[in-house]
Amino acid sequence: MTTLAVDCMGGDHGPGVTLVACRQFLDKHPEARLLLVGQPASLQAFTHERASVVAASEVVAMDDPVEVALRRKKDSSMRVAIQQVKDGAAQAAVSAGNTGALMAIARYLLKTLDGIDRPAIATQMPNAQGGATTVLDLGANVDCTAEHLLQFAVMGSALVSVLQEREEPLVGLLNIGEEVIKGSEEIKRAGELLRSAAGAGDLNFHGNVEGNDIFKGTVDIVVCDGFVGNVALKASEGVAAMIIGGLKQEFKRNIFTKLAAAVAYPVLSALMRRMDYRRYNGAALLGLRGLVFKSHGSADVLAFEQALNRAYDAARNNLLDRVRARVAHAAPLLATADQPRAS
Amino acid sequence: MTTLAVDCMGGDHGPGVTLVACRQFLDKHPEARLLLVGQPASLQAFTHERASVVAASEVVAMDDPVEVALRRKKDSSMRVAIQQVKDGAAQAAVSAGNTGALMAIARYLLKTLDGIDRPAIATQMPNAQGGATTVLDLGANVDCTAEHLLQFAVMGSALVSVLQEREEPLVGLLNIGEEVIKGSEEIKRAGELLRSAAGAGDLNFHGNVEGNDIFKGTVDIVVCDGFVGNVALKASEGVAAMIIGGLKQEFKRNIFTKLAAAVAYPVLSALMRRMDYRRYNGAALLGLRGLVFKSHGSADVLAFEQALNRAYDAARNNLLDRVRARVAHAAPLLATADQPRAS
């Protein structure tokens, strides 16, 4: 039996979405148990033999500053859900709440793994191969050293090997050109560290990749600092929204284009299914002494269920031990992150 | 009469594309003159009363290292084209050659303007408003200080006011959230400088924007360091290529989808025209004592002609003087870029 703690109050929609997704999830996974965390009045209508309510009196708002979420709302559903993981009552926590608050509370309660300075947020983006590329970091760390990027690469390798069953996933370093001489000094140093790690058998390094490689599917994992990752993710969402918005506009132009839309509909919806960002919902917070997954705040039922699925797969396949083992294996290289730099 | 110096040998296709584009350009602009720079044997077949050949014996290859282009190929078509601008024989130069080489040669021959530490590359990207967003820097500068970002904002404002006739274009600072507390220390400092510049009447500052705002068209100009700009641009191109590739694949699936494609074709091609990156070809190298425009290396005739159009509009509307005037106006703030920082 694998148990997930679900922050049922988080996200833009709260229990209206999370509870429906929880029921669908339970129906599909007979070996799963859920701890539904939140205000009992909102959750009491939900009954299931493999679900129980864990009371939490407060809710972290989507726009609460990190300090408020961390210091003032000590009985928030987000915090209580993560506490279940810490206490061993659940193997992973899932929340659609405010990312900054989730990361801060998770880090405060669970602490980072030995050898990891900073946790990272890893998400999947669809690629032209019909698969997904895992990208990290996605916004937790704005200034990263080469050692941080190496830590992300090691943790990302563990994540992909567990969730996509690729034993030696291919890692790319996001840069502005393929040549090793490209990029800032820190990026060049990261390239050197990643090559050393590949030489020591810690990971499978492809070399530098560029922004378009995320969507080409050149590698399984793309490593970058959180600022760059966040901009790349949002720019990509922006382009996709612009193209889809443009398609809708063109098809609505007149009666002929509306007829064309009706004819093309099955084809367009097949494409939309393939590109559907909801299928990739559920970002992993990596580097902590416990598993935490973050759903998009705007997730609907399908998307939130997908985040539950990812957390469930990670928990029952022991992602935490796999990350720990990979980090331990790479320890001689990772350890340098804490040392003052020779330069 | 406005004269452009065209590096006819640059790009993936050389004279096969550049000369055809030059003829179309001359046919449309009766007030324009062109200096066709390159190997005379390749250019002699082209005759036009408003075009003359300027001989250059060498060609910078797309993969030539910057040092080779700068130090060894002193009679390259790229360099001779820029030399025409320096000598006053042309008001702007256009090349589809290797970006790194073009920037290095332009900087070496033309030098930067007073008040500008680093030239930047500014390009347009299509947005959902049906217009274009100007983004800079696109790869020339990987580590930028707050002062560099301010310089980019001032130069970008001059560019957009000249080419899009918006007197007070709106500037956004690319960040990972709209709140002023987001981002690295350098980005926060850039936000402060931009607010000061707006207060002094040097530019029109909107505040922070995120990656998707480039394509929403929230602002006219998005300012970022060259690493982030390059990744955002390439990630966007990657998403667009994935979606268009997916559409083609879905429409080719069977006889029914092929029929649907035929019906939907006019609608899809209307969309493609709107999103066509070729329409936005022609990036400006800003901050130099002369105008230089960079075409995509893979540009076809339509795209290269568009780069010529942009260079022509910039030259006849005196972009150089406009940049100089804006930089001079903002001088008290820009000057701090050269000072050691108090922090």
Side-chain angles (χ1 to χ4, degrees):
Chain A
M1 209 56 136
T2 300
T3 304
L4 303 181
V6 184
D7 166 11
C8 291
M9 313 304 289
D12 299 341
H13 311 296
V17 157
T18 57
L19 288 183
V20 183
C22 283
R23 181 167 306 280
Q24 293 187 3
F25 171 82
L26 285 166
D27 289 347
K28 287 182 200 155
H29 300 284
E31 300 286 307
R33 266 190 83 235
L34 295 181
L35 302 179
L36 310 174
V37 185
Q39 292 165 327
S42 304
L43 308 178
Q44 63 192 7
F46 190 101
T47 56
H48 192 288
E49 53 175 4
R50 285 178 281 115
S52 46
V53 170
V54 177
S57 61
E58 292 169 303
V59 177
V60 173
M62 292 307 271
D63 56 357
D64 270 344
V66 168
E67 304 72 44
V68 170
L70 191 61
R71 312 272 166 228
R72 301 227 201 109
K73 295 188 170 173
K74 297 203 175 167
D75 197 36
S76 72
S77 56
M78 187 186 274
R79 182 162 180 157
V80 174
I82 295 170
Q83 186 69 44
Q84 303 308 306
V85 174
K86 186 175 184 189
D87 296 345
Q91 284 78 58
V94 181
S95 175
N98 168 342
T99 311
L102 185 68
M103 180 53 97
I105 294 173
R107 197 171 172 173
Y108 176 76
L109 289 182
L110 299 172
K111 314 297 180 209
T112 51
L113 291 170
D114 290 333
I116 299 299
D117 299 321
R118 300 185 185 183
I121 301 178
T123 200
Q124 288 192 324
M125 298 192 200
N127 66 36
Q129 313 287 327
T133 307
T134 296
V135 182
L136 73 168
D137 176 47
L138 260 301
N141 306 289
V142 292
D143 278 314
C144 290
T145 64
E147 287 79 9
H148 296 136
L149 293 170
L150 172 61
Q151 293 170 12
F152 299 166
V154 169
M155 297 192 292
S157 296
L159 179 71
V160 171
S161 72
V162 165
L163 290 186
Q164 292 170 252
E165 291 171 20
R166 274 181 200 263
E167 208 37 59
E168 291 304 330
L170 202 55
V171 175
L173 175 64
L174 192 56
N175 204 336
I176 56 171
E178 286 174 20
E179 307 83 353
V180 293
I181 56 149
K182 291 278 184 176
S184 64
E185 290 310 312
E186 209 55 43
I187 290 285
K188 284 185 232 174
R189 228 164 52 76
E192 287 165 25
L193 274 179
L194 286 163
R195 274 186 293 279
S196 306
D202 292 323
L203 49 81
N204 191 4
F205 184 48
H206 165 86
N208 289 336
V209 293
E210 300 185 75
N212 51 338
D213 288 303
I214 298 172
F215 303 97
K216 271 193 197 167
T218 310
V219 294
D220 299 304
I221 299 157
V222 170
V223 171
C224 56
D225 77 42
F227 193 98
V228 172
N230 184 290
V231 168
L233 174 67
K234 287 183 182 158
S236 312
E237 289 176 346
V239 172
M242 176 178 71
I243 295 178
I244 289 161
L247 264 178
K248 286 185 184 160
Q249 224 177 354
E250 293 294 342
F251 275 121
K252 278 187 190 154
R253 204 170 278 281
N254 58 45
I255 180 75
F256 301 105
T257 59
K258 282 180 188 166
L259 280 171
V263 175
Y265 181 78
V267 180
L268 296 176
S269 63
L271 178 74
M272 295 302 157
R273 268 196 305 280
R274 269 174 57 185
M275 308 284 167
D276 193 345
Y277 266 81
R278 295 179 303 171
R279 285 176 51 202
Y280 305 97
N281 189 37
L285 273 56
L286 293 173
L288 299 163
R289 298 169 189 262
L291 296 180
V292 180
F293 281 77
K294 160 80 178 98
S295 161
H296 257 283
S298 63
D300 62 7
V301 171
L302 188 151
F304 194 76
E305 192 189 340
Q306 183 54 28
L308 294 173
N309 287 336
R310 284 178 68 74
Y312 181 66
D313 285 345
R316 73 196 167 93
N317 292 309
N318 250 316
L319 174 61
L320 191 58
D321 289 345
R322 295 283 279 276
V323 172
R324 222 190 285 263
R326 280 199 179 244
V327 169
H329 193 268
L333 276 165
L334 295 177
T336 58
D338 297 324
Q339 311 294 323
R341 273 191 261 152
S343 66
Chain B
M1 209 58 134
T2 300
T3 305
L4 305 180
V6 184
D7 167 12
C8 291
M9 313 304 289
D12 300 341
H13 310 298
V17 158
T18 56
L19 288 184
V20 183
C22 283
R23 181 167 305 278
Q24 294 186 2
F25 171 80
L26 285 167
D27 288 346
K28 288 182 200 154
H29 300 284
E31 300 287 305
R33 267 190 81 236
L34 295 182
L35 301 179
L36 309 175
V37 185
Q39 292 163 328
S42 305
L43 308 178
Q44 63 192 10
F46 190 99
T47 55
H48 193 288
E49 52 174 8
R50 284 179 280 115
S52 45
V53 170
V54 177
S57 62
E58 293 170 301
V59 177
V60 173
M62 292 308 272
D63 56 357
D64 271 343
V66 167
E67 303 73 45
V68 170
L70 191 60
R71 311 271 167 231
R72 301 229 199 108
K73 295 188 171 174
K74 296 201 175 169
D75 196 37
S76 72
S77 56
M78 187 185 274
R79 182 160 180 161
V80 172
I82 296 170
Q83 186 69 44
Q84 303 309 305
V85 175
K86 187 175 181 190
D87 295 345
Q91 284 78 59
V94 180
S95 174
N98 170 342
T99 312
L102 185 67
M103 180 55 97
I105 293 173
R107 198 173 171 170
Y108 176 76
L109 289 182
L110 299 172
K111 314 297 180 210
T112 52
L113 290 170
D114 290 335
I116 299 298
D117 298 321
R118 300 185 186 183
I121 301 178
T123 200
Q124 289 193 322
M125 299 193 202
N127 67 35
Q129 313 288 327
T133 306
T134 296
V135 183
L136 73 167
D137 176 48
L138 261 301
N141 306 289
V142 294
D143 278 314
C144 290
T145 65
E147 287 79 9
H148 296 137
L149 294 170
L150 172 59
Q151 294 169 11
F152 299 167
V154 169
M155 297 192 292
S157 296
L159 180 71
V160 171
S161 72
V162 165
L163 290 186
Q164 293 171 249
E165 290 171 21
R166 277 181 197 266
E167 208 37 60
E168 290 305 329
L170 202 55
V171 175
L173 176 63
L174 192 57
N175 203 336
I176 56 171
E178 286 172 21
E179 307 83 352
V180 291
I181 55 150
K182 291 279 185 177
S184 63
E185 290 311 312
E186 208 55 43
I187 290 286
K188 284 185 234 176
R189 228 164 52 75
E192 288 165 25
L193 274 180
L194 286 163
R195 273 186 294 281
S196 307
D202 293 322
L203 48 82
N204 191 5
F205 184 48
H206 166 87
N208 289 334
V209 294
E210 299 185 75
N212 50 339
D213 288 302
I214 298 171
F215 302 97
K216 271 193 198 167
T218 310
V219 293
D220 299 303
I221 299 156
V222 171
V223 170
C224 57
D225 78 42
F227 193 99
V228 171
N230 183 291
V231 168
L233 173 67
K234 287 186 182 155
S236 312
E237 289 176 346
V239 172
M242 177 178 72
I243 295 179
I244 289 162
L247 263 178
K248 285 186 184 159
Q249 222 176 359
E250 292 294 342
F251 274 121
K252 278 188 190 154
R253 205 170 278 282
N254 58 46
I255 180 76
F256 301 106
T257 60
K258 283 179 188 167
L259 280 171
V263 174
Y265 180 78
V267 181
L268 296 175
S269 61
L271 179 73
M272 292 305 156
R273 266 196 305 280
R274 270 174 56 183
M275 306 285 167
D276 193 344
Y277 266 80
R278 294 180 302 171
R279 285 177 50 203
Y280 305 96
N281 189 38
L285 271 56
L286 293 172
L288 299 164
R289 297 170 190 262
L291 297 180
V292 180
F293 281 77
K294 160 79 178 99
S295 160
H296 256 284
S298 64
D300 61 8
V301 171
L302 188 151
F304 195 76
E305 191 190 339
Q306 184 53 29
L308 294 174
N309 288 335
R310 285 177 69 72
Y312 181 65
D313 285 345
R316 73 197 168 93
N317 292 308
N318 249 317
L319 174 61
L320 192 59
D321 288 345
R322 297 283 278 276
V323 172
R324 222 189 285 263
R326 282 200 177 241
V327 168
H329 193 267
L333 277 165
L334 295 176
T336 58
D338 297 323
Q339 311 295 322
R341 273 189 262 154
S343 67

